[in-house]
Amino acid sequence: MRHRSRAAEALAAALLLALNAACGSRLPESDFEHDGRTPAPRDAAPLRVGIITSATSPVGGGAFTGPRDGARAFFDRLNALGGIDGRRVEVRRCDDGGSGVGNNECVHRLVEEDEVVALVATTALDYAGASRVSRARVPDIGGQPLGSAYDTYPHLYGIYGSLAPRDGTPGWNGTLYGGTEVYRYFKREHGARTAAVVSYNQSASAAYARLVERGLRAEGYQVVTEQVDFALPNFRAVAADLKEQGADLVFDALDGHGNARLCRAMDEAGAAVTAKVTNVQNWTSTVADDYKDAPRCRNALWATGASRNFEDTGHPAVREFREATKDLKTHSQWQLEGWAAARWFTDAARSCARTGITRACVDDFMNRDQGYTAEGLLLPVRFERLAEPPRSSRSCLSVARWQDGKGWVGQGDMNRTCFTVPQLAYRP
């Protein structure tokens, strides 16, 4: 059984919002477009799907658009090849502006007015409309779990699966569980023993740091905690202490700008580490530019996730994705996961072609405990409603390391990089 915790991603998204959002409220810019680049077959009505994205969120441009772009690329290619059973997929997009008000408006327009058969690759900073999607019994396929919605409601199927009852309450009576496989990996595969966690003196940052610290201690690490002032961070002092403490690993609860400044300070101080560990949201092709002033730290960047490295073009499914997205300026792991979500919907819809492609039929396909892999792009994704949370779980990892001149280099077979680890409780 494989269950990947996405606590890091959910809290990282909340952290980004808390650190970068401007004061005051903002109204969303909702955009409902259908993709008209591919002619529709004349003899069949198109299938409508919706994609909700916090594209213009307070976090800033492009932070959450990867899954949307990957899904659209898949549907473009699918339509060019004839669609699903002769029916073109018509994509209706909605930008919720990163707000709960905007998200509810997106749900209303797509689910109730446009009557989409499914939502695909949802990436919402505040998924306030999740309960409405569930009540309407609209399958939401392959969404990014930036909050707890995908561990709360039926008919919502996050990209990483869920073992929770999904009965309207997050996890098990409001408690979620996550594994320690990332920390186990670096301990067993690279002999890491000392890990540093760097955070701001800010509530969301500190909360995420405490969660990371807890997981590291459960795996027997000596943990070094470093906190900097959010307004005037002294990264030089942190870097000097990391060097003195001999940290093998560095985890952080910082925004992107803070990460780059920390890496630069580490290079200047000569603080060499086995790994500066990041997550799937930062697994992108822009590393060389983002960390241009920190070549040593840049080449110590590692990313972990639950999907196949988007640089692994030796794999046919990745090669197909890269060919279809070759015109994009950058590539990312989130784009690949959006592509996988669109493939997931397509497989579900094709299974219904004979009896009729309806919300109910697509939902029946999704609501299974068989592992889904999107032709090998994902670690097997399952949905099981366990009455009690697991105390331990066998969890697998996709791991990659950045190397200048090569990009993200995969580290072993993700289906074999597996560990039986404890599941630790946390509150969303």
Side-chain angles (χ1 to χ4, degrees):
M1 179 173 64
R2 198 270 316 167
H3 175 56
R4 276 282 293 152
S5 163
R6 307 320 281 175
E9 285 73 7
L11 286 170
L15 171 64
L16 283 171
L17 177 61
L19 298 179
N20 293 321
C23 296
S25 61
R26 91 180 249 160
L27 294 176
E29 300 173 13
S30 295
D31 174 24
F32 305 92
E33 300 178 13
H34 62 80
D35 187 341
R37 287 178 284 177
T38 306
R42 296 181 179 179
D43 58 347
L47 284 169
R48 286 183 185 169
V49 300
I51 301 179
I52 299 175
T53 309
S54 296
T56 58
S57 76
V59 170
F64 300 114
T65 57
R68 177 201 69 187
D69 295 343
R72 289 194 68 199
F74 183 90
F75 288 131
D76 283 350
R77 185 178 183 280
L78 179 69
N79 287 334
L81 296 174
I84 299 174
D85 196 32
R87 299 175 66 181
R88 176 180 170 276
V89 176
E90 182 181 287
V91 178
R92 298 289 180 100
R93 295 183 302 158
C94 183
D95 174 7
D96 68 9
S99 77
V101 172
N103 188 264
N104 270 308
E105 179 64 15
C106 282
V107 169
H108 170 69
R109 295 285 185 93
L110 296 182
V111 171
E112 296 162 14
E113 292 187 356
D114 291 347
E115 297 183 332
V116 298
V117 69
L119 298 176
V120 177
T122 299
T123 312
L125 191 56
D126 182 357
Y127 198 175
S131 62
R132 296 174 67 180
V133 174
S134 180
R135 285 196 302 270
R137 298 178 178 269
V138 174
D140 177 342
I141 300 171
Q144 290 290 336
L146 300 183
S148 60
Y150 291 98
D151 282 309
T152 300
Y153 299 107
H155 312 294
L156 273 59
Y157 304 96
I159 193 70
Y160 308 121
S162 176
L163 303 180
R166 293 186 294 136
D167 56 5
T169 301
W172 289 264
N173 297 317
T175 301
L176 301 179
Y177 291 78
T180 60
E181 58 271 21
V182 173
Y183 318 124
R184 180 75 59 87
Y185 169 81
F186 285 103
K187 181 179 179 180
R188 289 206 177 174
E189 300 299 317
H190 300 283
R193 292 293 180 270
T194 302
V197 184
V198 185
S199 64
Y200 289 124
N201 61 343
Q202 187 270 350
S203 59
S205 179
Y208 177 44
R210 286 194 296 270
L211 182 61
V212 175
E213 291 165 24
R214 188 173 169 217
L216 288 165
R217 294 187 195 282
E219 288 296 331
Y221 282 85
Q222 178 181 338
V223 180
V224 177
T225 59
E226 305 280 356
Q227 191 171 87
V228 295
D229 184 79
F230 177 50
L232 296 169
N234 186 350
F235 288 116
R236 289 185 177 180
V238 170
D241 195 48
L242 293 178
K243 181 179 181 181
E244 171 130 4
Q245 298 281 353
D248 301 312
L249 309 178
V250 175
F251 294 85
D252 70 85
L254 308 174
D255 58 334
H257 180 61
N259 250 308
R261 292 180 65 190
L262 173 61
C263 262
R264 181 176 179 179
M266 288 171 61
D267 270 22
E268 291 174 347
V273 296
T274 300
K276 171 73 174 66
V277 188
T278 189
N279 58 48
V280 68
Q281 191 175 354
N282 298 313
W283 193 337
T284 73
S285 63
T286 64
V287 166
D289 290 332
D290 296 342
Y291 296 86
K292 61 181 182 297
D293 296 325
R296 180 183 294 176
C297 182
R298 181 175 68 236
N299 283 279
L301 286 175
W302 291 64
T304 64
S307 53
R308 189 173 298 277
N309 183 8
F310 72 85
E311 302 263 31
D312 184 10
T313 54
H315 191 280
V318 176
R319 193 161 56 245
E320 181 183 30
F321 160 73
R322 291 299 297 267
E323 176 62 25
T325 57
K326 61 185 178 183
D327 292 333
L328 294 179
K329 293 181 180 179
T330 62
H331 285 92
S332 72
Q333 204 63 17
W334 263 14
Q335 289 171 357
L336 179 139
E337 291 182 354
W339 172 279
R343 180 185 287 276
W344 204 349
F345 164 77
T346 300
D347 288 344
R350 282 176 171 159
S351 76
C352 301
R354 182 174 297 179
T355 58
I357 302 174
T358 64
R359 291 174 173 177
C361 183
V362 171
D363 191 67
D364 284 343
F365 179 92
M366 297 298 303
N367 196 27
R368 308 177 304 167
D369 62 5
Q370 294 96 325
Y372 181 80
T373 69
E375 300 296 323
L377 294 178
L378 304 173
L379 287 167
V381 185
R382 295 182 173 87
F383 297 93
E384 300 179 51
R385 297 185 176 186
L386 302 184
E388 300 292 334
R391 294 187 176 183
S392 64
S393 179
R394 183 166 174 78
S395 302
C396 301
L397 276 176
S398 176
V399 185
R401 178 186 181 182
W402 177 268
Q403 291 182 259
D404 285 348
K406 296 181 180 180
W408 288 103
V409 179
Q411 305 294 307
D413 182 349
M414 69 178 187
N415 290 291
R416 295 183 179 181
T417 307
C418 306
F419 308 91
T420 299
V421 294
Q423 297 292 302
L424 304 181
Y426 68 96
R427 288 276 177 172

